Amino acid sequence: LGAGALILDDADEAMLAGEHGAACALGMRTVVAVAEGMRASRLLDITGAHIDGCIYYGRVCLDWALRFRTLGGHVRVPTTLNIGLLDLLHPGLTDLPEETARPARELMETYVELGANPTFTCAPYQLAGSRPGFGEHVAWAESNAIVFANSVLGARTNRYGDFFDIACAVTGRAPAAGLHLTEPRRARVVLDVSALSDALLASDVLYPVLGLLLGGLAGNRVAVIDGLPAGLHEDRLKAIGASAASAGAVAMFHAVGSTPEAATLADALQGEQPEAVVPVTPRDLRAARDRLQTARPDAALDGVCVGTPHASADELRRIVAALDGRHVRIPVWVNTARGILAGLAETRVEEALRDAGVTVVVDTCTYTAPVVRAVRGTVMTSSGKWAYYAPANLGVEVVFGSLEECIRSAVAGRIVRDDDFWA
Amino acid sequence: MTSGLEIARGHVLAAGHGSGTAFVTDPVSFWGGVSADDGVIIDVHHRDRGRSVAGTVLVMPVGRGSSSASAVLAETLRVGSGPAAILLASPDIILAAGSVVARELYGIECPIVELDAASFEAVTACDGAPLGVDASDDLAVIRALDEECDLDP
């Protein structure tokens, strides 16, 4: 437990002394305080930041952002913003009392004034221009984005949280500790999925459930999944990471043949022996899925919520394909990023969703923001993260299925699910 | 600096001074698990649901931090419903950031200290007893403020 000896370079000292303004000095004081707690011996340059502090939990959130603005702060690196509490593009959609809506909106706007890009998405990695390259150091907050950056992009970030994110953004520095370094990125635990059937491995519904299992088994340790098909689609890797970060303090995982630091199992282990090898059986996965569901599989269905993390362009196209021109019989909400919709502006995707009766939500998420026609009753989702948090956050019952099963169920007005591949 | 019998030393995650009754409990997530209004534990799965962390020296092995635990901890400190100090057995930079921000914005201190296994054990023996926490520079000292602690190993 010895004290770390943090050594600042001349540029850090200059920031601390206020030579780049008072906001930068506040940021550096904060980075230094946390870096000492992390036992970092130095700070390092970051190429970008993703800020979670733009979601409103109380006055302190706004006070912190306004302090930087009052002091003349501006981000020094390209910075994206996580979701807020409101859908700014569809103002009628979120149903907040004005005394919360006003500061929640002001908070989102203040971070934009500090120079952050108004992406308002939990999945900045789906936006062109917001994907850090392999080996780049960044300071990202929002658990699913952190896992994606480390695991899928091979960028390097620790699990940073609200408030520290903007301190890194205004200084362009982060503590040289944890997952910024190479050795801590080594897998400690192996999840062996070679016993799973080809049908299960080919089904989308596997991946969020596998992530939950991983989160529970790994905790805050880096794990490697061995035995999955190589070259997994990013949406599947996204689903693993988001679930894992909900069920455990997971900041990174490897999937042999799919993630960039795991061309082989030995690569993921950095040539060392694992602490544990855990075989995963269909029975384990069924149990994990069943723990996630609070509703009976034959319950009447009241709604469908998908897009947690925010739906990618591919996922939106898959929803349109599954709708196949039909109208939904129960409310369906799809969360995505305004940037994803903008990228699809030349297509009929958004129009097709609306024509089918689907409500598209941007800038926020249905698991945390109160949406008009409040989500209640039994809700079906394809998201492990949504299923994990919604019962407590919203008081709903949850049933789980693939994206296509969710949409088929919405069209039928009842739960439609194929349980065969779980056998 | 508080006076009293030193029972443990630890690594400073967030500096400050605080004292209160030791509240030894299971990991609780401030985000979703603690009400910022009154510091009451609202996690339905938590064994101490309904008890408040306000003014206590909160003792738990890990912080179970979501990214937003910083914000909720800092909000409890702002409204006066936060803990007086937090003692952990592992590092938690998300909680640490919440404490650092409350100190910067409002001058409210909530030292956060990481203890090794033996020190954590010693502190858990003090559940319900008043403790003082002094965390400055690179050393944190935990003191028992009266003699109610069972300090026998």
Side-chain angles (χ1 to χ4, degrees):
Chain A
L1 285 180
L6 178 66
I7 296 172
L8 300 180
D9 68 18
D10 291 347
D12 297 328
E13 294 284 7
M15 286 188 204
L16 206 52
E19 290 174 25
H20 298 275
C24 195
L26 170 62
M28 185 51 76
R29 273 202 306 282
T30 306
V31 171
V32 166
V34 171
E36 286 175 338
M38 295 174 77
R39 299 180 178 81
S41 56
R42 64 185 177 89
L43 306 181
L44 46 73
D45 284 333
I46 54 170
T47 60
H50 180 65
I51 288 184
D52 190 44
C54 52
I55 183 159
Y56 186 80
Y57 293 108
R59 181 72 211 181
V60 66
C61 301
L62 189 54
D63 285 346
W64 185 239
L66 289 176
R67 177 65 60 91
F68 281 97
R69 194 180 69 180
T70 303
L71 298 175
H74 199 275
V75 299
R76 289 173 76 95
V77 292
T79 299
T80 47
L81 291 176
N82 200 35
I83 61 165
L85 216 46
L86 299 153
D87 181 338
L88 296 180
L89 297 190
H90 310 108
L93 209 55
T94 30
D95 185 21
L96 286 171
E98 187 52 26
E99 68 265 25
T100 306
R102 190 193 45 75
R105 193 181 305 114
E106 188 181 357
L107 181 64
M108 295 167 81
E109 291 163 355
T110 301
Y111 277 109
V112 176
E113 289 167 22
L114 290 172
N117 195 344
T119 48
F120 300 123
T121 180
C122 55
Y125 46 82
Q126 293 178 164
L127 303 177
S130 301
R131 289 165 67 92
F134 183 83
E136 277 186 37
H137 294 284
V138 294
W140 277 22
E142 162 50 39
S143 65
N144 101 84
I146 292 162
V147 179
F148 196 96
N150 278 317
S151 311
V152 183
L153 302 180
R156 298 187 171 202
T157 180
N158 281 305
R159 289 182 77 237
Y160 296 121
D162 300 15
F163 302 166
F164 190 63
D165 42 19
I166 184 64
C168 294
V170 299
T171 57
R173 302 285 276 171
L179 294 175
H180 289 291
L181 310 178
T182 298
E183 197 280 335
R185 300 171 71 83
R186 170 166 70 85
R188 263 67 180 176
V189 184
V190 179
L191 261 66
D192 177 2
V193 300
S194 56
L196 303 184
S197 70
D198 289 347
L200 191 51
L201 291 171
S203 70
D204 278 301
V205 80
L206 166 68
Y207 295 90
V209 176
L210 184 59
L212 287 171
L213 206 61
L214 188 157
L217 288 168
N220 62 1
R221 294 180 295 178
V222 177
V224 55
I225 310 171
D226 189 24
L228 292 174
L232 283 176
H233 193 288
E234 278 195 5
D235 288 336
R236 291 182 167 184
L237 296 168
K238 169 175 89 163
I240 295 173
S243 291
S246 302
V250 172
M252 181 175 189
F253 72 94
H254 302 275
V256 174
S258 291
T259 58
E261 290 165 58
T264 66
L265 180 60
D267 284 353
L269 294 166
Q270 294 181 11
E272 305 282 327
Q273 290 300 311
E275 291 168 11
V277 178
V278 183
V280 175
T281 66
R283 184 199 200 89
D284 297 331
L285 288 163
R286 227 169 21 243
R289 185 198 67 169
D290 292 345
R291 276 197 302 278
L292 195 61
Q293 303 192 111
T294 56
R296 293 167 51 90
D298 57 354
L301 193 59
D302 299 295
V304 167
C305 283
V306 295
T308 305
H310 278 174
S312 66
D314 277 355
E315 286 170 326
L316 293 180
R317 285 189 206 98
R318 281 170 53 198
I319 293 169
V320 171
L323 285 164
D324 195 21
R326 295 168 297 177
H327 203 274
V328 296
R329 290 178 182 228
I330 53 174
V332 179
W333 292 271
V334 180
N335 307 300
T336 190
R338 52 166 77 185
I340 293 289
L341 289 185
L344 291 168
E346 304 293 304
T347 72
R348 280 199 73 256
V349 168
E350 187 177 1
E351 195 183 348
L353 292 170
R354 293 192 198 285
D355 286 351
V358 171
T359 304
V360 179
V361 179
V362 300
D363 296 352
T364 188
C365 185
T366 50
Y367 89 94
T368 187
V371 170
V372 163
R373 292 189 294 157
V375 186
R376 59 172 61 96
T378 296
V379 181
M380 190 166 185
T381 185
S382 56
S383 162
K385 180 171 183 168
W386 201 94
Y388 191 85
Y389 287 118
N393 281 6
L394 307 174
V396 296
E397 304 294 324
V398 169
V399 63
F400 183 79
S402 72
L403 188 60
E404 280 74 14
E405 287 168 341
C406 285
I407 298 306
R408 285 209 301 274
S409 299
V411 168
R414 62 183 169 77
I415 298 168
V416 178
R417 217 168 53 166
D418 178 1
D419 274 1
D420 288 353
F421 28 58
W422 293 98
Chain B
M1 188 75 84
T2 52
S3 59
L5 180 64
E6 179 178 320
I7 56 168
R9 291 185 170 206
H11 173 69
V12 181
L13 297 176
H17 304 273
S19 58
T21 302
F23 176 17
V24 179
T25 190
D26 291 340
V28 62
S29 169
F30 272 75
W31 180 80
V34 174
S35 163
D37 296 337
D38 50 15
V40 169
I41 295 175
I42 52 175
D43 178 346
V44 296
H45 304 294
H46 199 279
R47 70 169 156 112
D48 286 317
R49 179 188 183 196
R51 286 183 65 183
S52 174
V53 303
T56 68
V57 172
L58 182 63
V59 181
M60 55 185 183
V62 298
R64 258 190 101 202
S66 109
S67 304
S68 297
S70 313
V72 179
L73 171 62
E75 183 69 359
T76 66
L77 295 171
R78 185 187 72 83
V79 303
S81 66
I86 302 175
L87 307 180
L88 303 168
S90 59
D92 188 317
I93 60 172
I94 292 177
L95 286 179
S99 171
V100 167
V101 167
R103 191 175 173 184
E104 278 284 352
L105 287 177
Y106 314 117
I108 298 169
E109 297 187 357
C110 173
I112 304 184
V113 179
E114 178 191 348
L115 301 171
D116 67 18
S119 297
F120 189 78
E121 194 69 20
V123 167
T124 56
C126 295
D127 193 15
L131 295 181
V133 179
D134 296 299
S136 51
D137 297 333
D138 54 3
L139 181 68
V141 177
I142 321 299
R143 291 186 176 83
L145 301 184
D146 67 17
E147 290 170 18
E148 285 172 26
C149 286
D150 174 12
L151 295 176
D152 292 329

